Amino acid sequence: MIREIHSLQETAQFAEELAQKIQNHTVTLCLDGDLGAGKTTFTKSLGRALGVKSVINSPTFTIMKNYTDGAGNPFTHIDAYRLEGAGQDLGFDEVFDEGISVVEWSQYIPDQLPADTIRIAITQGTGEDRTFDVTGTGIWAAVFAPETAQADAGKETVA
């Protein structure tokens, strides 16, 4: 599914739409894109849409920050930028077992990620223009398949 974004308000709206699909599920979102593409901005909007009350900041130096969504479920924000080349098991599997996890720079920890993910590649355009290319793997593949995106957006395929 491709989504063209032209403003911060559209980013927040897209995050709200995604939040409706994933709330109360256990899911890992993998956000990839160049520096300044909007990964953290999107994560902040997603967290607000899910009811996170705390201020969401980039965990670049701490690697991971934990929050709670409006329903009391874990919302974990990971920045894997500093983990490039880390070959050892970092214990993320326990984090990915409950709630919603957002992983920025997920390409640096491919062996640590669960099989069922939502991948969002963000390409930066001019100004606030962005292209969000969303794909699902495992149980999320059908939710974000190109033909699904063209069908009625209100249909849920994940229980």
Side-chain angles (χ1 to χ4, degrees):
M1 172 176 99
I2 303 286
R3 180 72 173 263
E4 299 293 332
I5 302 290
H6 305 289
S7 68
L8 293 175
Q9 294 86 356
E10 287 183 23
T11 298
Q13 179 183 0
F14 179 54
E16 288 174 15
E17 292 170 15
L18 184 60
Q20 290 175 7
K21 290 183 181 293
I22 65 172
Q23 65 188 355
N24 299 317
H25 289 285
T26 296
V27 62
T28 300
L29 282 82
C30 301
L31 302 181
D32 295 304
D34 293 335
L35 283 170
K39 297 178 293 294
T40 301
T41 298
F42 179 78
T43 302
K44 290 177 180 183
S45 294
L46 181 66
R48 277 192 302 273
L50 291 166
V52 174
K53 301 293 183 207
S54 302
V55 174
I56 297 174
N57 294 315
S58 177
T60 301
F61 296 103
T62 59
I63 309 296
M64 180 171 65
K65 291 189 177 181
N66 298 303
Y67 305 94
T68 304
D69 70 14
N73 300 313
F75 180 86
T76 304
H77 185 193
I78 297 170
D79 185 327
Y81 185 76
R82 296 174 154 275
L83 301 176
E84 182 176 15
Q88 73 273 18
D89 182 357
L90 300 171
F92 288 136
D93 51 336
E94 292 177 16
V95 172
F96 299 142
D97 283 345
E98 187 179 3
I100 295 172
S101 300
V102 178
V103 182
E104 296 186 31
W105 303 99
S106 68
Q107 73 268 26
Y108 293 144
I109 57 167
D111 296 338
Q112 306 284 321
L113 299 170
D116 301 324
T117 63
I118 299 171
R119 297 187 119 353
I120 304 176
I122 305 172
T123 306
Q124 186 173 1
T126 307
E128 293 180 358
D129 290 350
R130 303 287 188 272
T131 301
F132 285 69
D133 185 354
V134 184
T135 56
T137 63
I139 63 170
W140 295 98
V143 176
F144 296 101
E147 58 275 2
T148 304
Q150 295 172 5
D152 179 11
K155 293 182 182 175
E156 278 297 323
T157 56
V158 175

